[in-house]
Amino acid sequence: MIELFSLSNQIKKAADSVNLNIAKGCMGQSKAEFKRLLTYSVRSGLEVVSCLFMASSRNYITELEFKRLYSEYEQLCKMISKLKASL
């Protein structure tokens, strides 16, 4: 179960990183810096998705949970990418 703890901890860190990078970018940064931080946010979102694939393949989460979470992160990454493109 150490592996399960490590994987869930990695998911939490990556999910937090999505939010934290967006927050950092909103703090009066230049457009270029905000875009850079949004790129980091998307990368962290993709890290969450990668961890979800591992969790699913190891039967730590159900197929239904995987599909729901994957869909939510796919949508989130698309929204962040669109925000970045609008700057």
Side-chain angles (χ1 to χ4, degrees):
M1 287 290 111
I2 291 173
E3 182 184 40
L4 176 59
F5 172 78
S6 296
L7 188 56
S8 64
N9 191 44
Q10 188 64 34
I11 290 171
K12 288 176 189 175
K13 286 180 180 182
D16 287 346
S17 182
V18 172
N19 295 331
L20 293 172
N21 280 305
I22 293 171
K24 284 184 222 175
C26 290
M27 301 303 293
Q29 304 290 334
S30 67
K31 282 187 180 182
E33 180 68 5
F34 191 22
K35 284 182 174 185
R36 185 178 68 81
L37 290 164
L38 290 173
T39 297
Y40 292 161
S41 289
V42 171
R43 288 178 182 171
S44 294
L46 295 175
E47 183 178 347
V48 170
V49 169
S50 180
C51 289
L52 291 173
F53 272 105
M54 287 187 281
S56 178
S57 71
R58 295 171 184 161
N59 296 314
Y60 296 152
I61 59 174
T62 66
E63 186 67 24
L64 186 61
E65 289 171 315
F66 171 79
K67 287 180 180 180
R68 180 181 62 82
L69 293 168
Y70 178 91
S71 177
E72 288 176 8
Y73 267 88
E74 179 181 41
Q75 184 179 2
L76 177 63
C77 288
K78 285 179 182 178
M79 288 190 299
I80 295 169
S81 295
K82 286 181 182 180
L83 173 60
K84 180 182 168 189
S86 75
L87 297 175

